[in-house]
Amino acid sequence: MRAGRALLAPAVCLYLIMFGVALGADRGSSGMAQLTPVAFSDLPGWSGERQEEALSAFALSCARLRAPVYAAAATGKKSNSLQAWTRICTQALSPDALLSGAGARRFFETNFSLYRVTLPGNARGFLTGYYEPEVEGSLERSAAFPVPLYRRPDDLVTLKPSQAGHGLEPGLAAARRVKGGFEAYPTRAEIEAGALAGRGLELVYLRDPIEAFFIHIQGSARVRLKDGEVMRLGFAAKNGHPYSSIGKVLIERGALSAAEMNTERLRQWLAAHPDEAGEVMATNRSFIFFRAITVPDPTLGPIGAAGVQLTPQRSLAVDPAFHSFATPIWIDAELPDANGRTGPFRRLMIAQDTGSAITGAARGDIFFGTGAAASARAGRIRHEGDFLVLLPKGMPLPNWAAGGG
């Protein structure tokens, strides 16, 4: 769950986000990406895929929608689309749905049509990876654990479009409520210099500021406490300042080249330059606040923007202006493993998350799981790939793919 992932939506809004009733009418519509029909039988790797794993992840998305949500949304103009998704989700949640092998494969082939996302000039899509960090921590500050992660302050307000302006700099997504209006919330540098000190907002303490920074980037974490308890943290809010890449800063300064830049190399540089690391990290003015969360299944990942727990190598972060949450998406790419060895990655993913850097019809962020191994693999992924979308049979193509505006 990358920094900037959305907070969970209310019931009807969740339907709008999951099934695309209200999102994405204009963004990237005409003259951009197209959807081209493809036969499942023509898909390399499809017959050998473990579709039952994707079906389990898909069922988690379906379970997030309850009858009142369907009833509330069914009066909208997209009721035909709603009925298609309702029918498929009813099957996915039935006692017989968790099929294996050929049965799960038939579920997707029977209920969905397959379309390739075709980009201008036959360009390929772009993939990155993310993970859930796992670190040691303490509920008390000490010399060993001096770096706090903060809970959301009560004076932090997420700005609505109607609240833009008010003397604030452009691009702010949140602000501090003050008498008579709003003011910019403290930046990362200001917070780390003590802007929130004395307010009791510290949620947990970590060993290392670099660890804390990467937890901010991912937006979630598992923190192992000294009594053996594991504290799960999820995204609560951000200070409203736009996210900026410190990797880009280091490339511009000549400290690292674009060719060698990845998460592992970035960590190494920060650790090797402790006198400069703080200043470099502070160039990203965005700052994340967290909340302690309880998850239904401790074996799965954090809760994504779609409101369901993420499944390693099955959950995909997408741009919801193009793809509704719960949409199955086939990814075909050549990706490195944790040791850097490149091989085919042909897998059915489920759209269950998003992030501020995930923009476009063929842009995806693969959730690789929890801990060091997942970090090692996720940090290597900056690769091209093909995106093929599964849409319910009989459902009209989205506006962006049908030439609508």
Side-chain angles (χ1 to χ4, degrees), residues 2 10 19 27 54 79 141 179 184 191 237 249 280 359 372 379:
R2 291 288 182 114
F19 296 125
R27 187 176 178 182
S79 58
R141 185 192 295 268
K179 186 176 181 179
I191 292 173
V249 169
V280 169
T359 58

Side-chain angles (χ1 to χ4, degrees), residues 187-400:
T187 64
R188 174 179 297 277
E190 291 166 340
I191 292 173
E192 292 179 347
L196 300 181
R199 295 181 56 180
L201 296 173
E202 295 83 359
L203 189 60
V204 68
Y205 297 91
L206 307 183
R207 292 186 183 278
D208 180 34
I210 298 174
E211 281 183 348
F213 182 84
F214 279 95
I215 289 174
H216 279 234
I217 299 300
Q218 301 303 320
S220 64
R222 299 189 197 201
V223 182
R224 299 189 307 274
L225 304 176
K226 61 183 179 180
D227 60 1
E229 181 184 355
V230 175
M231 186 179 190
R232 300 289 292 264
L233 300 181
F235 174 87
K238 58 190 300 186
N239 65 346
H241 292 275
Y243 170 84
S244 58
S245 168
I246 67 168
K248 182 179 179 181
V249 169
L250 291 179
I251 291 171
E252 291 172 345
R253 294 182 181 182
L256 293 172
S257 69
E260 66 180 317
M261 177 59 69
N262 58 40
T263 302
E264 182 179 8
R265 188 69 187 91
L266 182 56
R267 280 181 177 273
Q268 291 172 351
W269 190 94
L270 292 171
H273 299 82
D275 293 339
E276 301 172 64
E279 182 271 329
V280 169
M281 291 187 290
T283 63
N284 177 21
R285 295 159 61 89
S286 177
F287 192 89
I288 305 302
F289 300 100
F290 297 89
R291 61 191 177 95
I293 61 173
T294 301
V295 296
D297 186 345
T299 67
L300 294 179
I303 297 173
V308 301
Q309 281 188 265
L310 303 179
T311 302
Q313 299 190 53
R314 292 295 172 183
S315 295
L316 186 70
V318 300
D319 184 344
F322 291 89
H323 305 298
S324 303
F325 288 152
T327 300
I329 299 177
W330 177 263
I331 298 296
D332 187 344
E334 296 286 324
L335 300 182
D337 62 18
N339 297 312
R341 294 187 293 265
T342 300
F345 186 95
R346 293 169 174 163
R347 189 162 297 212
L348 186 59
M349 314 288 291
I350 308 298
Q352 294 178 321
D353 208 356
T354 190
S356 56
I358 312 303
T359 58
R363 176 71 175 91
D365 205 13
I366 300 169
F367 176 68
F368 278 101
T370 300
S375 170
R377 186 164 193 194
R380 295 178 182 273
I381 309 300
R382 293 183 59 84
H383 290 68
E384 293 184 339
D386 295 325
F387 287 63
L388 294 97
V389 179
L390 282 70
L391 296 178
K393 286 187 175 179
M395 192 176 85
L397 295 183
N399 284 348
W400 61 266

